[in-house]
Amino acid sequence: MEVDAQLDSSTSHTADPRRFVLRRAIDVSGVSGTGDVAEGVEWSDGTVALRWRGKWATTVVWDYGLDALLAVHGHNGSTVVRWLDAGRPEG
């Protein structure tokens, strides 16, 4: 079988992937604890891959990015994103 693949030049690279942790001041659910509870990557298209730490570790992909993730897991400001890569703003 022959495959003829070409690079699609119409897709532009918007940003490098960037690493982060989710930091919790208060554990409102009583499940994930406090401190750095998950680690993740925001990909160049805005998609987020998140790996929960702890006993019930799991990996989740958020197609709608950090806004969607924080809408579910932000707990009214009890969870913040701490960027790990140098030169990135805290959020």
Side-chain angles (χ1 to χ4, degrees), residues 42-57:
E42 181 184 46
W43 301 103
S44 61
D45 67 355
T47 301
V48 170
L50 186 75
R51 177 73 180 169
W52 290 97
R53 296 177 174 178
K55 183 177 180 180
W56 307 109

Side-chain angles (χ1 to χ4, degrees), residues 10-11 16-17 22 25 29 32-33 35 43 51 61 64 68 71 74 81 85-86 88:
S10 67
T11 304
D16 291 331
L22 288 186
S29 68
S32 56
W43 301 103
R51 177 73 180 169
V61 175
Y64 295 102
V81 173
D85 298 315
R88 302 290 187 174

Side-chain angles (χ1 to χ4, degrees), residues 7-15 44-45:
L7 178 63
D8 180 0
S9 61
S10 67
T11 304
S12 64
H13 180 76
T14 58
S44 61
D45 67 355

Side-chain angles (χ1 to χ4, degrees), residues 1 3 9 11 15 23-24 35 37-38 44 54 56 58 63 72 80 84-85 87-88 90:
M1 178 167 83
V3 177
S9 61
T11 304
R23 180 168 287 167
R24 287 234 169 107
V37 296
S44 61
W56 307 109
T58 188
D63 292 326
V72 174
V80 296
L84 299 176
D85 298 315
R88 302 290 187 174
E90 294 291 319

Side-chain angles (χ1 to χ4, degrees), residues 60-76:
V60 182
V61 175
W62 292 85
D63 292 326
Y64 295 102
L66 281 174
D67 289 340
L69 183 155
L70 291 173
V72 174
H73 296 292
H75 299 297
N76 296 317

